[in-house]
Amino acid sequence: MSSTTQKARVIVDKAFRIAEIDNRIYGSFIEHLGRAVYSGIYEPSHSTADSLGFRGDVKQLVRELGVPIIRYPGGNFVSGYNWEDGVGPANLRPKRLELAWRTTEPNDVGTNEFMSWAKEVGSEVMMAVNLGTRGVDAARNLLEYCNHPSGSYYSDLRRSHGYEQPHRVKTWCLGNEMDGPWQIGQKTPVEYGRLAYETAKAMRLVDPNIELVSCGSSSTGMPTFPEWEAVTLDHTYEVADYISLHQYYGNRDGDSANFLARTMDMEHFIRTVTATCDYIKAKKRSKKTMYLSFDEWNVWYHSNEADTRIEPWSVGPPQLEDIYNFEDALLVGGMLITMIRHADRVKMACLAQLVNVIAPIMTEAGGRAWKQTIFYPYLHASLFGRGTSLQPIINSPKYDAQDYTDVPYLDSAVVHNEAEEELTIFALNRNLTDPLDLECDVRSFAGYQLVEHIVLENEDLKAVNTAAEEKVKPHSGGGAECRDGLLHARLSKASWNVIRLKKTYDDK
Protein backbone atom coordinates (compact mmCIF):
# COMPACT_ATOMS: atom_id res chain seq x y z
CA MET A 1 0.00 0.00 0.00
CA SER A 2 1.37 3.40 -0.98
CA SER A 3 2.06 5.55 2.08
CA THR A 4 3.55 8.73 0.62
CA THR A 5 3.26 10.99 -2.37
CA GLN A 6 6.45 12.76 -3.36
CA LYS A 7 6.56 16.03 -5.25
CA ALA A 8 8.50 17.15 -8.31
CA ARG A 9 8.62 20.53 -10.01
CA VAL A 10 9.51 21.40 -13.60
CA ILE A 11 9.98 24.78 -15.26
CA VAL A 12 9.38 24.95 -19.00
CA ASP A 13 10.20 28.08 -20.99
CA LYS A 14 10.09 28.52 -24.74
CA ALA A 15 13.44 30.34 -24.54
CA PHE A 16 15.19 27.22 -23.14
CA ARG A 17 15.80 25.76 -26.60
CA ILE A 18 18.09 22.76 -27.03
CA ALA A 19 17.63 22.22 -30.78
CA GLU A 20 15.16 21.44 -33.50
CA ILE A 21 14.48 17.70 -33.39
CA ASP A 22 15.42 15.77 -36.50
CA ASN A 23 12.42 13.48 -37.00
CA ARG A 24 14.80 10.69 -37.93
CA ILE A 25 15.53 10.05 -34.24
CA TYR A 26 12.30 8.02 -34.39
CA GLY A 27 13.73 5.62 -36.97
CA SER A 28 13.94 1.84 -36.79
CA PHE A 29 15.84 -1.11 -38.23
CA ILE A 30 15.16 -4.20 -40.35
CA GLU A 31 17.94 -6.77 -40.65
CA HIS A 32 17.96 -10.09 -42.48
CA LEU A 33 17.85 -11.81 -39.10
CA GLY A 34 15.37 -14.27 -37.67
CA ARG A 35 11.78 -13.51 -38.71
CA ALA A 36 12.26 -9.78 -39.26
CA VAL A 37 11.93 -10.22 -43.02
CA TYR A 38 10.60 -13.73 -43.64
CA SER A 39 7.15 -14.06 -41.98
CA GLY A 40 7.73 -10.61 -40.50
CA ILE A 41 7.36 -7.92 -43.15
CA TYR A 42 7.33 -10.48 -46.01
CA GLU A 43 5.02 -13.49 -46.27
CA PRO A 44 3.54 -14.03 -49.75
CA SER A 45 1.09 -16.69 -48.51
CA HIS A 46 -0.41 -14.44 -45.83
CA SER A 47 -4.03 -13.38 -46.30
CA THR A 48 -3.05 -9.67 -46.21
CA ALA A 49 -0.03 -9.94 -48.54
CA ASP A 50 0.33 -7.45 -51.38
CA SER A 51 1.51 -8.16 -54.93
CA LEU A 52 5.15 -8.19 -53.79
CA GLY A 53 4.47 -10.54 -50.88
CA PHE A 54 4.59 -8.00 -48.04
CA ARG A 55 2.12 -8.34 -45.18
CA GLY A 56 -0.54 -5.64 -45.18
CA ASP A 57 -1.27 -5.94 -41.44
CA VAL A 58 2.38 -5.24 -40.65
CA LYS A 59 2.50 -2.33 -43.08
CA GLN A 60 -0.47 -0.78 -41.29
CA LEU A 61 1.24 -1.02 -37.87
CA VAL A 62 4.45 0.49 -39.26
CA ARG A 63 2.46 3.36 -40.80
CA GLU A 64 0.77 3.91 -37.43
CA LEU A 65 4.19 4.41 -35.85
CA GLY A 66 5.15 6.97 -38.51
CA VAL A 67 8.69 5.60 -38.84
CA PRO A 68 10.70 8.22 -40.77
CA ILE A 69 13.79 6.13 -41.62
CA ILE A 70 14.67 2.42 -41.50
CA ARG A 71 18.19 1.00 -41.42
CA TYR A 72 18.78 -1.95 -43.80
CA PRO A 73 19.98 -4.73 -44.38
CA GLY A 74 22.09 -4.99 -41.20
CA GLY A 75 23.49 -5.23 -38.67
CA ASN A 76 25.89 -8.13 -38.49
CA PHE A 77 24.26 -9.56 -41.62
CA VAL A 78 25.68 -6.82 -43.84
CA SER A 79 29.31 -7.75 -43.12
CA GLY A 80 28.95 -10.93 -45.18
CA TYR A 81 26.32 -9.78 -47.66
CA ASN A 82 26.77 -9.59 -51.41
CA TRP A 83 24.16 -7.06 -52.48
CA GLU A 84 24.12 -8.45 -56.04
CA ASP A 85 22.53 -11.67 -54.66
CA GLY A 86 19.35 -9.73 -53.85
CA VAL A 87 18.60 -8.08 -57.19
CA GLY A 88 17.33 -9.33 -60.52
CA PRO A 89 14.86 -12.17 -61.18
CA ALA A 90 13.98 -13.85 -57.88
CA ASN A 91 14.14 -17.35 -59.35
CA LEU A 92 17.77 -16.80 -60.34
CA ARG A 93 18.99 -15.53 -56.99
CA PRO A 94 21.39 -17.76 -55.05
CA LYS A 95 20.73 -19.20 -51.62
CA ARG A 96 23.65 -18.39 -49.32
CA LEU A 97 24.94 -19.60 -45.98
CA GLU A 98 24.48 -16.53 -43.79
CA LEU A 99 27.38 -16.64 -41.33
CA ALA A 100 26.45 -13.86 -38.90
CA TRP A 101 23.39 -15.73 -37.60
CA ARG A 102 24.12 -19.17 -39.13
CA THR A 103 20.98 -19.36 -41.24
CA THR A 104 20.26 -19.77 -44.95
CA GLU A 105 19.45 -16.55 -46.80
CA PRO A 106 17.12 -17.24 -49.77
CA ASN A 107 17.43 -13.65 -51.10
CA ASP A 108 13.72 -13.48 -51.88
CA VAL A 109 13.85 -9.92 -50.56
CA GLY A 110 16.65 -7.60 -51.64
CA THR A 111 17.38 -3.95 -52.28
CA ASN A 112 14.60 -3.19 -54.75
CA GLU A 113 11.86 -5.02 -52.88
CA PHE A 114 12.83 -3.36 -49.62
CA MET A 115 12.90 0.09 -51.20
CA SER A 116 9.39 -0.52 -52.55
CA TRP A 117 8.18 -1.64 -49.11
CA ALA A 118 9.75 1.39 -47.40
CA LYS A 119 8.00 3.70 -49.84
CA GLU A 120 4.70 1.97 -49.07
CA VAL A 121 5.09 2.59 -45.32
CA GLY A 122 6.33 6.18 -45.80
CA SER A 123 9.93 5.68 -44.67
CA GLU A 124 13.32 6.65 -46.00
CA VAL A 125 16.05 3.99 -45.99
CA MET A 126 19.39 4.15 -44.21
CA MET A 127 21.42 1.72 -46.33
CA ALA A 128 24.45 -0.08 -44.91
CA VAL A 129 27.40 -1.22 -47.01
CA ASN A 130 29.58 -4.27 -46.39
CA LEU A 131 32.99 -3.27 -45.04
CA GLY A 132 33.60 -6.71 -43.54
CA THR A 133 34.20 -9.10 -46.44
CA ARG A 134 34.03 -6.36 -49.10
CA GLY A 135 34.90 -2.69 -49.43
CA VAL A 136 35.25 0.28 -51.78
CA ASP A 137 34.26 -1.40 -55.02
CA ALA A 138 31.06 -3.09 -53.83
CA ALA A 139 29.96 0.06 -51.98
CA ARG A 140 30.40 2.41 -54.94
CA ASN A 141 28.65 -0.08 -57.24
CA LEU A 142 25.65 -0.42 -54.91
CA LEU A 143 25.40 3.37 -54.70
CA GLU A 144 25.51 3.64 -58.48
CA TYR A 145 22.81 0.96 -58.72
CA CYS A 146 20.57 2.79 -56.25
CA ASN A 147 21.10 6.46 -57.05
CA HIS A 148 22.48 7.05 -60.54
CA PRO A 149 19.66 7.86 -63.00
CA SER A 150 20.80 5.96 -66.10
CA GLY A 151 23.51 5.56 -68.69
CA SER A 152 25.97 3.51 -66.62
CA TYR A 153 26.36 -0.22 -66.08
CA TYR A 154 24.79 -0.48 -62.64
CA SER A 155 22.10 2.16 -63.13
CA ASP A 156 21.02 0.46 -66.34
CA LEU A 157 21.12 -2.89 -64.54
CA ARG A 158 18.61 -1.50 -62.03
CA ARG A 159 16.42 -0.29 -64.88
CA SER A 160 16.57 -3.73 -66.49
CA HIS A 161 15.30 -5.13 -63.18
CA GLY A 162 12.15 -3.03 -63.51
CA TYR A 163 13.10 0.04 -61.48
CA GLU A 164 13.34 2.86 -64.00
CA GLN A 165 13.73 5.65 -61.44
CA PRO A 166 16.67 5.81 -59.02
CA HIS A 167 15.96 5.08 -55.35
CA ARG A 168 17.82 8.22 -54.23
CA VAL A 169 19.03 6.76 -50.95
CA LYS A 170 20.40 9.67 -48.96
CA THR A 171 21.90 8.06 -45.84
CA TRP A 172 24.55 5.32 -45.84
CA CYS A 173 26.27 3.42 -43.01
CA LEU A 174 29.95 2.63 -43.55
CA GLY A 175 29.80 -0.90 -42.16
CA ASN A 176 28.48 -2.20 -38.86
CA GLU A 177 30.14 -2.78 -35.46
CA MET A 178 33.51 -3.29 -37.05
CA ASP A 179 35.29 -3.46 -33.67
CA GLY A 180 33.30 -6.54 -32.59
CA PRO A 181 35.11 -9.92 -32.53
CA TRP A 182 31.76 -11.46 -33.60
CA GLN A 183 31.84 -9.38 -36.78
CA ILE A 184 32.80 -11.02 -40.07
CA GLY A 185 35.86 -9.06 -41.19
CA GLN A 186 36.51 -7.36 -37.82
CA LYS A 187 38.91 -4.42 -38.15
CA THR A 188 41.36 -2.60 -35.94
CA PRO A 189 40.49 1.09 -35.60
CA VAL A 190 43.23 2.09 -38.03
CA GLU A 191 42.18 -0.57 -40.56
CA TYR A 192 38.57 0.54 -40.36
CA GLY A 193 39.41 4.24 -40.43
CA ARG A 194 41.43 3.90 -43.61
CA LEU A 195 38.87 1.65 -45.34
CA ALA A 196 35.94 3.85 -44.33
CA TYR A 197 37.74 6.97 -45.54
CA GLU A 198 38.53 5.48 -48.95
CA THR A 199 35.01 4.06 -49.29
CA ALA A 200 33.47 7.42 -48.40
CA LYS A 201 35.73 9.19 -50.89
CA ALA A 202 34.65 6.90 -53.72
CA MET A 203 30.97 7.03 -52.79
CA ARG A 204 30.98 10.83 -52.74
CA LEU A 205 32.47 10.83 -56.24
CA VAL A 206 29.42 8.83 -57.38
CA ASP A 207 26.91 10.97 -55.46
CA PRO A 208 28.13 14.08 -53.62
CA ASN A 209 24.74 14.60 -51.95
CA ILE A 210 24.72 11.53 -49.70
CA GLU A 211 25.14 11.48 -45.92
CA LEU A 212 27.59 9.00 -44.38
CA VAL A 213 27.68 7.37 -40.95
CA SER A 214 31.08 6.33 -39.59
CA CYS A 215 31.04 3.20 -37.45
CA GLY A 216 31.43 3.80 -33.70
CA SER A 217 32.09 1.32 -30.91
CA SER A 218 29.66 -1.59 -30.62
CA SER A 219 28.77 -0.49 -27.07
CA THR A 220 30.16 1.33 -24.05
CA GLY A 221 31.30 -2.05 -22.72
CA MET A 222 33.87 -2.55 -25.49
CA PRO A 223 37.45 -2.42 -24.14
CA THR A 224 38.40 -0.01 -26.93
CA PHE A 225 35.66 2.53 -26.11
CA PRO A 226 36.11 5.49 -26.64
CA GLU A 227 39.56 5.10 -28.16
CA TRP A 228 37.92 3.48 -31.21
CA GLU A 229 35.97 6.69 -31.83
CA ALA A 230 39.06 8.87 -31.47
CA VAL A 231 41.22 6.79 -33.83
CA THR A 232 38.59 6.13 -36.51
CA LEU A 233 37.36 9.72 -36.55
CA ASP A 234 40.92 10.86 -37.05
CA HIS A 235 40.48 9.30 -40.52
CA THR A 236 36.78 9.81 -41.25
CA TYR A 237 35.98 13.16 -39.61
CA GLU A 238 35.96 15.24 -42.78
CA VAL A 239 34.17 12.66 -44.98
CA ALA A 240 31.48 11.42 -42.59
CA ASP A 241 28.48 13.33 -41.24
CA TYR A 242 27.61 11.10 -38.27
CA ILE A 243 29.14 8.52 -35.98
CA SER A 244 27.06 5.57 -34.83
CA LEU A 245 26.19 4.55 -31.26
CA HIS A 246 24.76 1.15 -30.27
CA GLN A 247 23.41 0.23 -26.84
CA TYR A 248 21.08 -2.40 -25.39
CA TYR A 249 20.00 -2.85 -21.77
CA GLY A 250 18.66 -5.79 -19.80
CA ASN A 251 17.40 -6.75 -16.36
CA ARG A 252 18.76 -10.25 -15.86
CA ASP A 253 19.02 -9.92 -12.08
CA GLY A 254 15.48 -8.60 -11.68
CA ASP A 255 16.54 -5.31 -10.09
CA SER A 256 13.85 -3.04 -11.56
CA ALA A 257 14.99 0.15 -9.81
CA ASN A 258 18.49 -0.30 -11.22
CA PHE A 259 17.09 -1.26 -14.64
CA LEU A 260 15.04 1.95 -14.92
CA ALA A 261 18.16 3.95 -14.04
CA ARG A 262 20.05 2.61 -17.10
CA THR A 263 19.30 5.81 -19.01
CA MET A 264 21.97 7.46 -16.87
CA ASP A 265 24.47 5.21 -18.64
CA MET A 266 22.95 6.20 -21.99
CA GLU A 267 23.35 9.86 -21.02
CA HIS A 268 27.02 9.29 -20.19
CA PHE A 269 27.51 7.41 -23.48
CA ILE A 270 26.13 10.32 -25.53
CA ARG A 271 28.21 12.88 -23.64
CA THR A 272 31.40 10.83 -24.01
CA VAL A 273 30.99 10.32 -27.76
CA THR A 274 30.13 14.01 -28.19
CA ALA A 275 33.26 15.01 -26.27
CA THR A 276 35.39 12.66 -28.37
CA CYS A 277 33.97 14.12 -31.59
CA ASP A 278 34.71 17.64 -30.35
CA TYR A 279 38.25 16.64 -29.40
CA ILE A 280 38.89 15.50 -32.98
CA LYS A 281 37.26 18.68 -34.26
CA ALA A 282 39.69 20.73 -32.17
CA LYS A 283 42.64 18.55 -33.14
CA LYS A 284 41.88 19.06 -36.84
CA ARG A 285 41.02 22.76 -36.46
CA SER A 286 37.80 21.84 -38.25
CA LYS A 287 34.73 24.03 -38.60
CA LYS A 288 32.55 20.97 -38.98
CA THR A 289 30.41 19.48 -36.19
CA MET A 290 30.06 15.70 -36.08
CA TYR A 291 26.55 14.51 -35.24
CA LEU A 292 25.43 11.26 -33.66
CA SER A 293 23.36 8.43 -35.12
CA PHE A 294 22.09 6.16 -32.33
CA ASP A 295 21.24 3.58 -34.94
CA GLU A 296 20.79 0.59 -32.60
CA TRP A 297 19.06 0.89 -29.24
CA ASN A 298 16.54 -1.11 -27.24
CA VAL A 299 16.00 -3.54 -24.40
CA TRP A 300 17.46 -6.95 -25.28
CA TYR A 301 17.99 -9.88 -22.95
CA HIS A 302 14.87 -12.07 -22.75
CA SER A 303 15.60 -14.21 -25.82
CA ASN A 304 19.32 -14.95 -25.54
CA GLU A 305 19.15 -18.47 -24.08
CA ALA A 306 16.30 -19.67 -26.31
CA ASP A 307 18.23 -18.83 -29.47
CA THR A 308 20.88 -21.47 -28.74
CA ARG A 309 18.32 -24.18 -29.60
CA ILE A 310 17.73 -23.02 -33.19
CA GLU A 311 18.61 -25.44 -35.97
CA PRO A 312 21.57 -24.07 -38.01
CA TRP A 313 21.02 -23.12 -41.67
CA SER A 314 17.23 -22.86 -41.47
CA VAL A 315 15.38 -20.03 -43.24
CA GLY A 316 13.88 -17.29 -41.08
CA PRO A 317 14.00 -19.10 -37.72
CA PRO A 318 12.61 -17.40 -34.58
CA GLN A 319 15.73 -15.58 -33.34
CA LEU A 320 15.97 -12.81 -30.72
CA GLU A 321 12.21 -12.68 -30.20
CA ASP A 322 12.14 -10.84 -26.88
CA ILE A 323 8.66 -10.75 -25.36
CA TYR A 324 8.63 -7.34 -23.71
CA ASN A 325 7.02 -6.58 -20.38
CA PHE A 326 5.72 -3.37 -18.85
CA GLU A 327 9.00 -2.30 -17.23
CA ASP A 328 10.73 -2.69 -20.60
CA ALA A 329 8.28 -0.14 -22.01
CA LEU A 330 9.18 2.25 -19.18
CA LEU A 331 12.88 2.02 -20.00
CA VAL A 332 12.23 2.48 -23.72
CA GLY A 333 10.33 5.65 -22.79
CA GLY A 334 13.30 6.81 -20.72
CA MET A 335 15.70 6.15 -23.60
CA LEU A 336 13.51 8.22 -25.93
CA ILE A 337 13.47 11.04 -23.36
CA THR A 338 17.28 10.93 -23.22
CA MET A 339 17.65 11.25 -26.98
CA ILE A 340 15.10 14.08 -27.21
CA ARG A 341 17.08 16.01 -24.60
CA HIS A 342 20.22 15.55 -26.72
CA ALA A 343 18.59 16.67 -29.97
CA ASP A 344 21.43 19.13 -30.53
CA ARG A 345 23.78 16.22 -31.32
CA VAL A 346 21.66 13.06 -31.73
CA LYS A 347 20.12 13.57 -35.15
CA MET A 348 19.20 10.00 -36.10
CA ALA A 349 18.31 6.88 -34.14
CA CYS A 350 16.96 3.44 -34.92
CA LEU A 351 14.98 1.34 -32.48
CA ALA A 352 16.39 -2.12 -33.14
CA GLN A 353 14.48 -3.76 -34.56
CA LEU A 354 11.01 -3.21 -36.04
CA VAL A 355 9.31 -6.59 -36.49
CA ASN A 356 9.71 -9.86 -34.51
CA VAL A 357 13.41 -9.42 -33.73
CA ILE A 358 13.67 -7.43 -30.44
CA ALA A 359 10.75 -5.47 -31.84
CA PRO A 360 7.61 -3.45 -31.02
CA ILE A 361 5.63 -5.45 -33.60
CA MET A 362 5.20 -9.24 -33.46
CA THR A 363 3.63 -11.62 -35.95
CA GLU A 364 2.43 -15.18 -36.20
CA ALA A 365 3.42 -16.95 -39.42
CA GLY A 366 0.19 -17.06 -41.39
CA GLY A 367 -1.67 -15.39 -38.53
CA ARG A 368 -2.00 -12.28 -36.43
CA ALA A 369 0.20 -9.24 -35.84
CA TRP A 370 0.19 -7.39 -32.53
CA LYS A 371 1.73 -4.58 -30.51
CA GLN A 372 4.30 -5.30 -27.83
CA THR A 373 4.46 -3.13 -24.71
CA ILE A 374 7.31 -1.02 -26.12
CA PHE A 375 5.17 -0.08 -29.12
CA TYR A 376 3.43 2.62 -27.13
CA PRO A 377 6.20 4.93 -25.85
CA TYR A 378 7.78 4.67 -29.31
CA LEU A 379 4.44 5.60 -30.90
CA HIS A 380 3.92 8.55 -28.54
CA ALA A 381 7.39 9.97 -29.14
CA SER A 382 7.03 9.60 -32.91
CA LEU A 383 3.60 11.27 -32.94
CA PHE A 384 4.13 14.04 -30.39
CA GLY A 385 7.90 14.45 -30.20
CA ARG A 386 8.35 16.52 -33.35
CA GLY A 387 9.37 20.13 -33.07
CA THR A 388 11.86 21.93 -30.81
CA SER A 389 13.40 20.15 -27.84
CA LEU A 390 13.27 22.39 -24.77
CA GLN A 391 15.45 22.03 -21.67
CA PRO A 392 13.21 21.31 -18.67
CA ILE A 393 14.49 22.54 -15.31
CA ILE A 394 13.69 19.58 -13.06
CA ASN A 395 13.58 19.43 -9.29
CA SER A 396 12.85 15.84 -8.32
CA PRO A 397 13.39 13.53 -5.35
CA LYS A 398 16.12 10.96 -6.02
CA TYR A 399 17.13 7.44 -5.13
CA ASP A 400 20.28 5.32 -5.17
CA ALA A 401 20.38 2.11 -7.20
CA GLN A 402 22.94 -0.67 -7.37
CA ASP A 403 24.95 0.94 -10.18
CA TYR A 404 23.79 4.56 -10.02
CA THR A 405 23.46 7.27 -7.39
CA ASP A 406 21.16 10.30 -7.27
CA VAL A 407 18.72 8.89 -9.82
CA PRO A 408 15.80 11.34 -10.25
CA TYR A 409 12.42 9.68 -9.86
CA LEU A 410 11.16 12.05 -12.55
CA ASP A 411 12.73 11.87 -15.99
CA SER A 412 11.31 14.30 -18.53
CA ALA A 413 11.67 15.82 -21.97
CA VAL A 414 9.66 18.68 -23.47
CA VAL A 415 8.85 19.35 -27.12
CA HIS A 416 7.36 22.55 -28.57
CA ASN A 417 5.79 22.23 -31.99
CA GLU A 418 5.62 25.88 -33.01
CA ALA A 419 3.85 25.22 -36.31
CA GLU A 420 0.99 23.38 -34.59
CA GLU A 421 1.23 25.51 -31.43
CA GLU A 422 1.45 22.38 -29.28
CA LEU A 423 3.52 21.58 -26.20
CA THR A 424 4.22 18.00 -25.13
CA ILE A 425 5.70 16.95 -21.80
CA PHE A 426 7.03 13.40 -21.66
CA ALA A 427 7.31 12.28 -18.03
CA LEU A 428 8.58 8.98 -16.62
CA ASN A 429 7.98 8.21 -12.94
CA ARG A 430 10.66 5.73 -11.89
CA ASN A 431 9.26 5.35 -8.37
CA LEU A 432 8.11 1.73 -8.12
CA THR A 433 5.97 2.16 -5.02
CA ASP A 434 4.59 5.71 -4.89
CA PRO A 435 2.97 8.25 -7.19
CA LEU A 436 4.62 11.57 -7.90
CA ASP A 437 2.83 14.90 -7.73
CA LEU A 438 4.08 17.03 -10.61
CA GLU A 439 3.84 20.80 -10.81
CA CYS A 440 5.00 22.24 -14.11
CA ASP A 441 5.43 25.97 -14.68
CA VAL A 442 4.31 26.64 -18.26
CA ARG A 443 3.57 30.37 -17.89
CA SER A 444 5.84 31.02 -20.88
CA PHE A 445 3.12 29.40 -22.99
CA ALA A 446 0.27 31.84 -22.44
CA GLY A 447 -3.05 30.58 -23.72
CA TYR A 448 -2.03 26.91 -23.86
CA GLN A 449 -4.64 24.53 -22.47
CA LEU A 450 -4.61 20.83 -21.68
CA VAL A 451 -5.48 18.52 -24.58
CA GLU A 452 -4.92 15.12 -22.96
CA HIS A 453 -2.87 13.25 -20.38
CA ILE A 454 -1.92 9.83 -21.76
CA VAL A 455 -0.77 7.23 -19.22
CA LEU A 456 0.86 3.83 -19.61
CA GLU A 457 0.63 2.02 -16.27
CA ASN A 458 0.22 -1.47 -14.87
CA GLU A 459 0.33 -2.98 -11.39
CA ASP A 460 2.46 -5.82 -12.74
CA LEU A 461 5.91 -4.76 -13.98
CA LYS A 462 6.20 -8.12 -15.76
CA ALA A 463 2.88 -7.88 -17.64
CA VAL A 464 3.19 -8.65 -21.38
CA ASN A 465 1.04 -8.38 -24.49
CA THR A 466 0.16 -11.34 -26.68
CA ALA A 467 -1.76 -11.82 -29.91
CA ALA A 468 -4.76 -12.82 -27.79
CA GLU A 469 -4.61 -10.20 -25.04
CA GLU A 470 -3.21 -6.68 -24.72
CA LYS A 471 -2.56 -6.26 -21.00
CA VAL A 472 -0.35 -3.17 -21.40
CA LYS A 473 -1.91 -0.29 -23.31
CA PRO A 474 -2.29 3.44 -22.72
CA HIS A 475 -5.33 5.39 -21.63
CA SER A 476 -6.15 9.10 -21.70
CA GLY A 477 -7.50 9.40 -18.17
CA GLY A 478 -4.42 10.85 -16.52
CA GLY A 479 -6.28 13.72 -14.89
CA ALA A 480 -3.76 16.52 -15.37
CA GLU A 481 -5.04 20.10 -14.95
CA CYS A 482 -3.67 23.40 -16.20
CA ARG A 483 -4.66 26.72 -14.63
CA ASP A 484 -3.01 30.13 -14.67
CA GLY A 485 0.14 28.78 -16.29
CA LEU A 486 0.64 25.97 -13.77
CA LEU A 487 0.20 22.35 -14.78
CA HIS A 488 -0.60 19.83 -12.05
CA ALA A 489 -0.60 16.08 -12.55
CA ARG A 490 -0.34 13.01 -10.38
CA LEU A 491 2.00 10.54 -12.06
CA SER A 492 1.14 6.99 -11.06
CA LYS A 493 3.90 4.84 -9.62
CA ALA A 494 6.09 3.34 -12.33
CA SER A 495 4.34 5.11 -15.20
CA TRP A 496 4.95 6.65 -18.62
CA ASN A 497 3.06 9.91 -19.14
CA VAL A 498 2.45 12.13 -22.17
CA ILE A 499 0.86 15.48 -21.28
CA ARG A 500 -0.23 17.54 -24.29
CA LEU A 501 -1.19 21.21 -24.38
CA LYS A 502 -2.32 23.39 -27.29
CA LYS A 503 -2.73 27.11 -27.83
CA THR A 504 -6.32 28.28 -27.68
CA TYR A 505 -7.77 31.56 -28.87
CA ASP A 506 -10.55 33.65 -27.42
CA ASP A 507 -13.47 33.87 -29.87
CA LYS A 508 -14.05 37.53 -29.01
Side-chain angles (χ1 to χ4, degrees):
M1 180 71 68
S2 176
S3 58
T4 61
T5 301
Q6 296 184 310
K7 299 180 185 298
R9 191 167 191 272
V10 177
I11 300 173
V12 177
D13 195 294
K14 62 177 61 176
F16 300 167
R17 298 170 63 94
I18 296 173
E20 193 71 16
I21 296 168
D22 189 322
N23 294 338
R24 293 179 298 174
I25 70 168
Y26 307 120
S28 194
F29 181 23
I30 288 284
E31 180 173 357
H32 283 248
L33 158 61
R35 296 193 311 118
V37 175
Y38 304 112
S39 80
I41 65 171
Y42 177 82
E43 191 175 358
S45 61
H46 195 269
S47 60
T48 68
D50 64 16
S51 60
L52 290 177
F54 291 107
R55 288 180 58 148
D57 56 349
V58 173
K59 283 197 293 185
Q60 184 56 41
L61 289 172
V62 175
R63 289 192 196 104
E64 184 178 342
L65 286 169
V67 185
I69 193 167
I70 301 174
R71 187 166 171 248
Y72 176 85
N76 296 344
F77 171 84
V78 79
S79 292
Y81 181 52
N82 299 332
W83 69 266
E84 301 92 338
D85 292 345
V87 299
N91 63 334
L92 299 180
R93 297 178 190 177
K95 293 178 171 58
R96 299 283 191 189
L97 295 185
E98 201 289 288
L99 303 184
W101 304 104
R102 301 194 77 234
T103 61
T104 297
E105 173 53 53
N107 286 303
D108 294 335
V109 173
T111 300
N112 292 320
E113 290 85 5
F114 189 79
M115 293 301 303
S116 295
W117 177 82
K119 185 176 181 180
E120 282 281 308
V121 298
S123 296
E124 297 178 27
V125 174
M126 178 192 297
M127 190 74 76
V129 299
N130 178 355
L131 294 191
T133 59
R134 307 187 83 182
V136 179
D137 204 44
R140 64 152 179 158
N141 293 342
L142 175 58
L143 176 58
E144 180 185 320
Y145 183 91
C146 287
N147 284 17
H148 198 68
S150 64
S152 68
Y153 177 80
Y154 284 105
S155 62
D156 287 345
L157 183 64
R158 180 199 70 244
R159 294 170 68 224
S160 75
H161 293 157
Y163 291 81
E164 181 72 22
Q165 297 301 316
H167 297 310
R168 298 185 177 91
V169 180
K170 179 181 180 181
T171 309
W172 296 76
C173 295
L174 297 168
N176 172 76
E177 295 185 354
M178 298 310 303
D179 61 335
W182 58 86
Q183 203 69 217
I184 302 169
Q186 178 193 12
K187 303 287 189 292
T188 67
V190 172
E191 288 172 337
Y192 171 76
R194 286 288 304 126
L195 177 58
Y197 171 80
E198 292 298 338
T199 303
K201 188 170 69 175
M203 291 177 75
R204 287 200 185 280
L205 289 172
V206 176
D207 186 348
N209 298 315
I210 57 174
E211 296 179 324
L212 294 171
V213 183
S214 187
C215 187
S217 295
S218 301
S219 75
T220 54
M222 294 299 293
T224 52
F225 176 76
E227 183 66 15
W228 171 276
E229 279 75 4
V231 173
T232 59
L233 283 175
D234 213 16
H235 296 278
T236 63
Y237 195 88
E238 295 299 346
V239 294
D241 304 284
Y242 307 87
I243 187 165
S244 69
L245 292 80
H246 292 182
Q247 190 66 58
Y248 300 96
Y249 295 114
N251 187 20
R252 289 179 176 83
D253 58 4
D255 187 341
S256 298
N258 197 59
F259 178 59
L260 294 182
R262 295 288 185 200
T263 53
M264 297 187 74
D265 176 79
M266 187 181 192
E267 182 102 20
H268 177 69
F269 188 13
I270 292 170
R271 291 188 185 280
T272 303
V273 174
T274 298
T276 306
C277 292
D278 291 347
Y279 158 67
I280 299 298
K281 177 179 181 178
K283 179 181 175 181
K284 291 183 171 294
R285 277 68 169 175
S286 177
K287 295 181 179 179
K288 174 183 178 178
T289 298
M290 181 66 64
Y291 293 106
L292 278 53
S293 174
F294 218 125
D295 53 37
E296 286 191 32
W297 69 273
N298 205 343
V299 172
W300 174 18
Y301 74 100
H302 298 283
S303 62
N304 291 11
E305 293 183 3
D307 285 340
T308 62
R309 300 192 295 270
I310 288 172
E311 185 68 26
W313 314 125
S314 51
V315 176
Q319 291 174 295
L320 310 188
E321 296 196 3
D322 276 39
I323 302 302
Y324 290 115
N325 58 37
F326 173 57
E327 70 178 2
D328 297 330
L330 295 179
L331 184 65
V332 164
M335 296 175 82
L336 286 158
I337 282 172
T338 303
M339 289 187 288
I340 291 169
R341 282 206 310 263
H342 287 277
D344 57 332
R345 296 303 286 267
V346 178
K347 297 297 183 182
M348 296 190 293
C350 300
L351 176 71
Q353 297 188 17
L354 187 55
V355 183
N356 286 332
V357 176
I358 50 174
I361 298 169
M362 293 295 293
T363 72
E364 296 171 328
R368 297 165 291 185
W370 71 95
K371 302 170 183 178
Q372 292 232 62
T373 63
I374 67 170
F375 183 96
Y376 289 108
Y378 180 33
L379 171 69
H380 296 152
S382 179
L383 289 180
F384 308 124
R386 305 193 182 207
T388 302
S389 176
L390 301 181
Q391 181 65 62
I393 308 303
I394 302 172
N395 186 345
S396 169
K398 300 175 181 180
Y399 70 97
D400 291 340
Q402 178 179 329
D403 297 322
Y404 310 95
T405 58
D406 293 329
V407 183
Y409 279 123
L410 174 66
D411 200 7
S412 182
V414 180
V415 178
H416 181 209
N417 187 326
E418 296 182 67
E420 300 295 329
E421 296 189 297
E422 293 184 355
L423 182 71
T424 301
I425 300 164
F426 298 101
L428 171 67
N429 181 9
R430 293 188 177 109
N431 194 317
L432 300 177
T433 58
D434 296 308
L436 194 61
D437 275 351
L438 172 66
E439 180 184 272
C440 188
D441 185 337
V442 292
R443 285 176 291 181
S444 171
F445 293 89
Y448 278 62
Q449 298 297 324
L450 184 73
V451 174
E452 63 178 340
H453 176 184
I454 303 169
V455 184
L456 190 66
E457 59 185 342
N458 198 289
E459 285 294 324
D460 182 5
L461 289 173
K462 307 301 181 182
V464 302
N465 292 344
T466 66
E469 184 179 11
E470 192 172 57
K471 292 183 177 180
V472 179
K473 58 183 177 181
H475 64 82
S476 294
E481 295 181 347
C482 188
R483 295 177 184 171
D484 301 323
L486 292 179
L487 173 73
H488 293 275
R490 172 163 286 198
L491 310 182
S492 304
K493 67 177 183 179
S495 63
W496 162 257
N497 300 264
V498 183
I499 303 173
R500 300 178 55 226
L501 297 92
K502 187 174 179 63
K503 181 72 174 286
T504 59
Y505 292 92
D506 197 328
D507 290 333
K508 294 180 180 180

